[in-house]
Amino acid sequence: MDFNMKKLASDAGIFFTRAVQFTEEKFGQAEKTELDAHFENLLARADSTKNWTEKILRQTEVLLQPNPSARVEEFLYEKLDRKVPSRVTNGELLAQYMSEAASELGPTTPYGKTLIKVAEAEKRLGAAERDFIHTASINFLTPLRNFLEGDWKTISKERRLLQNRRLDLDACKARLKKAKAAEAKATTVPDFQETRPRNYILSASASASEQELRIAQTEFDRQAEVTRLLLEGISSTHANHLRCLHEFVESQTTYYAQCYRHMLDLQKQLGSSQGAIFPGTFVGTTEPASPPLSSTSPTTTAATMPVEPSMAGMAPSGETALCLEEVAPPASGTRKARVLYDYEAADSSELALLADELITVYSLPGMDPDWLIGERGNKKGKVPVTYLELLS
């Protein structure tokens, strides 16, 4: 293999000169060309953009994939330019376990039926999560990663080149300063034996140093302009990242809206079947489980017996409201419930609800299992089961 010894020696000399200049600057023994304030602000802004982009990228990856082992695996696949294998989400895996449990424990039992319903909802949640991860990766993570692996590498390369040009410029300034100092000294303290040859050599050395300085200054100015243009492009990067951030928020909003709808549907399904599965929990019995033999008078028994009201669809709303006012709560079977969401009453037979308030609820024979009777002070009306969290 042929080596260009002249080029190798020249490169080694340049590297040594830069190293000496850098070391002397660190120890305060050499002057350093300072960049203007605007350029320094551009550099600081670029560094800050790079650092925060890395942090946002890494934390978003954690949000989309909390499993660190899975993240490492995906990273290795990307570096090897291989397709990342599809992986089931946690919701889909939970749905699979619930389905298998229902098959083994009995799909016709109340527990098995509920497991199947919840498994279907979890499967839909897992599919929504998969779509969200895919959309967020394309619309948000990919642009951030492209900036770090593309634009930022170009900026870093040009900054290193600018640093080398600055070291060369400062080294030329130092050589010119030394040459002029030696020439001035020779003028004031001449050597009577060889005055003319030495002065000629010193003058030629100063001229050569001035020529090198002009070339180094031109190269530095050219490289500074290239680097400045790249740094000013950070504004375009911010605009692009802003657009990607909006898309990420939209995809996240869509994902959570889908999750809310799926869970609300599941809650309605479970609420409609809860009364049939646990009838003793909501429906008050017509008489106590262990009635006293002689202490209860017919009048007291009649007062505690619930009157079956006319429900919606069986009587006009005015008659329904009248019946509800006359209905006494059952002696047993009343429960406290916390309201999950605000509910606007459709008519006078229903009770308007406010989120997080506590009300007393009970059911009556013949009622639709999706509804309960709710009481708040002197007010009474029908309330939907799906808007309640039964406490006791």
Side-chain angles (χ1 to χ4, degrees):
M1 181 179 298
D2 296 333
F3 289 98
N4 189 339
M5 297 303 297
K6 290 184 178 180
K7 185 177 183 304
L8 183 62
S10 176
D11 293 342
I14 293 175
F15 177 79
F16 177 75
T17 302
R18 291 171 180 171
V20 171
Q21 178 66 27
F22 182 80
T23 304
E24 290 180 350
E25 289 176 357
K26 289 298 182 182
F27 286 98
Q29 299 176 356
E31 296 181 358
K32 176 181 177 181
T33 300
E34 299 293 342
L35 301 172
D36 60 85
H38 176 64
F39 202 100
E40 293 289 351
N41 291 335
L42 290 177
L43 290 174
R45 186 183 183 209
D47 290 333
S48 181
T49 300
K50 180 257 185 180
N51 293 333
W52 285 112
T53 301
E54 284 183 337
K55 292 181 179 180
I56 293 174
L57 174 65
R58 299 293 176 256
Q59 192 58 37
T60 306
E61 290 176 341
V62 172
L63 173 67
L64 299 180
Q65 178 51 264
N67 189 344
S69 300
R71 292 200 303 272
V72 172
E73 182 181 355
E74 293 174 359
F75 175 78
L76 293 177
Y77 273 103
E78 290 177 359
K79 290 302 180 182
L80 297 175
D81 292 332
R82 297 180 60 182
K83 183 178 179 181
V84 180
S86 59
R87 182 182 291 104
V88 295
T89 61
N90 294 328
E92 291 172 331
L93 187 59
L94 178 60
Q96 178 183 346
Y97 291 162
M98 287 185 172
S99 298
E100 294 175 356
S103 300
E104 185 172 343
L105 300 177
T108 59
T109 63
Y111 182 43
K113 291 179 180 178
T114 304
L115 278 174
I116 292 176
K117 291 181 180 179
V118 178
E120 293 174 354
E122 293 295 337
K123 186 176 181 180
R124 290 193 293 268
L125 291 176
E129 181 183 0
R130 182 188 299 277
D131 294 339
F132 167 61
I133 293 175
H134 178 71
T135 304
S137 298
I138 294 177
N139 296 336
F140 189 61
L141 291 183
T142 299
L144 298 185
R145 193 176 290 113
N146 289 341
F147 165 72
L148 293 174
E149 297 178 356
D151 296 346
W152 180 252
K153 286 187 176 180
T154 302
I155 292 174
S156 300
K157 178 182 177 181
E158 297 300 330
R159 286 179 65 177
R160 288 193 298 269
L161 189 57
L162 177 63
Q163 174 73 357
N164 292 335
R165 294 288 181 263
R166 187 195 63 76
L167 291 173
D168 294 341
L169 175 63
D170 290 338
C172 290
K173 289 180 178 180
R175 285 197 296 270
L176 178 60
K177 185 177 181 180
K178 291 179 181 179
K180 287 186 175 182
E183 185 179 8
K185 182 178 180 181
T187 303
T188 56
V189 185
D191 186 345
F192 295 100
Q193 297 180 354
E194 298 179 355
T195 300
R196 292 182 179 179
R198 188 183 66 175
N199 291 343
Y200 176 78
I201 293 174
L202 292 176
S203 178
S205 176
S207 299
S209 298
E210 289 179 353
Q211 180 66 20
E212 290 179 356
L213 178 59
R214 285 193 293 269
I215 295 175
Q217 184 69 53
T218 302
E219 292 180 351
F220 172 78
D221 293 340
R222 185 186 299 114
Q223 185 59 36
E225 182 65 18
V226 171
T227 308
R228 183 183 63 81
L229 292 175
L230 290 175
L231 293 175
E232 290 178 348
I234 293 294
S235 298
S236 300
T237 300
H238 287 184
N240 183 40
H241 289 182
L242 175 62
R243 178 183 57 81
C244 297
L245 184 60
H246 279 284
E247 294 179 355
F248 174 72
V249 172
E250 290 179 2
S251 62
Q252 197 170 26
T253 302
T254 302
Y255 166 62
Y256 286 123
Q258 290 175 345
C259 293
Y260 174 76
R261 288 196 299 269
H262 294 328
M263 294 309 299
L264 194 60
D265 292 341
L266 176 62
Q267 190 181 42
K268 291 180 179 179
Q269 294 177 22
L270 297 182
S272 62
S273 61
Q274 198 169 8
I277 298 174
F278 304 105
T281 305
F282 307 104
V283 181
T285 56
T286 58
E287 58 183 11
S290 301
L293 296 178
S294 59
S295 61
T296 305
S297 63
T299 304
T300 306
T301 305
T304 57
M305 288 285 289
V307 179
E308 183 173 346
S310 299
M311 305 315 299
M314 297 177 62
S317 60
E319 297 179 9
T320 303
L322 180 60
C323 293
L324 287 177
E325 292 297 332
E326 296 176 352
V327 169
S332 61
T334 60
R335 302 186 64 177
K336 289 291 184 181
R338 184 176 68 86
V339 179
L340 299 175
Y341 323 104
D342 292 345
Y343 178 73
E344 188 73 21
D347 51 46
S348 58
S349 67
E350 297 180 0
L351 182 66
L353 303 174
L354 295 176
D356 295 329
E357 70 172 332
L358 295 178
I359 62 174
T360 302
V361 294
Y362 54 89
S363 181
L364 298 173
M367 281 191 64
D368 187 341
D370 291 340
W371 295 82
L372 294 173
I373 303 299
E375 289 187 359
R376 184 201 309 111
N378 297 327
K379 295 184 179 181
K380 183 186 303 183
K382 296 187 302 179
V383 292
V385 175
T386 54
Y387 281 73
L388 304 175
E389 178 188 2
L390 299 174
L391 302 177
S392 60

